[in-house]
Amino acid sequence: MATCRADPFIEHLLELMGPLAARIGPVTAKRMFGGHGLFYDGLMFALVSGGTCYLKADDATRGKFDAEGSAPFRYHSARREVTMRHYLSLPPAALESPAAMTPWARLAVEAALRLGNA
């Protein structure tokens, strides 16, 4: 049976999210659409594509992402470019430490919970 190699960037993200996961429960990664989704309690709160992590955002959190210059996730379909405004790029400083990542990951999980319960 072939084994799947771990993606170092995904492993790094999961490590950075470790302290949050220790408080709220497991955070998992799943391959999808040429990238990965990050999940908490069955809800996708982040997607990783092309070496960039995009976190779930909603009306309550979008302003914080905008203040950091975050960009929405975009991809090309057969007919056009699609923009997913509920997934915004992770501020680069969040990749530096678990302490820097935790507030951003928490915002994304909270947004996913709000949108999932809407």
Side-chain angles (χ1 to χ4, degrees), residues 9 13 17 38 46-49 51-55 88-90 95:
F9 186 56
L13 289 170
M17 292 179 189
L38 301 182
L47 66 87
V48 180
S49 179
T52 301
C53 179
Y54 299 88
L55 297 178
L88 300 174
S89 59
L90 176 69
L95 293 171

Side-chain angles (χ1 to χ4, degrees), residues 71-77 80-88:
F73 174 66
R74 292 185 168 92
Y75 67 93
H76 293 280
S77 72
R80 62 186 171 94
E81 182 177 80
V82 177
T83 301
M84 296 179 68
R85 299 193 186 281
H86 282 293
Y87 286 96
L88 300 174

Side-chain angles (χ1 to χ4, degrees), residues 45-71:
F45 71 93
L47 66 87
V48 180
S49 179
T52 301
C53 179
Y54 299 88
L55 297 178
K56 187 80 142 187
D58 64 2
D59 291 339
T61 61
R62 188 169 286 110
K64 292 180 186 201
F65 286 92
D66 289 344
E68 294 294 323
S70 295

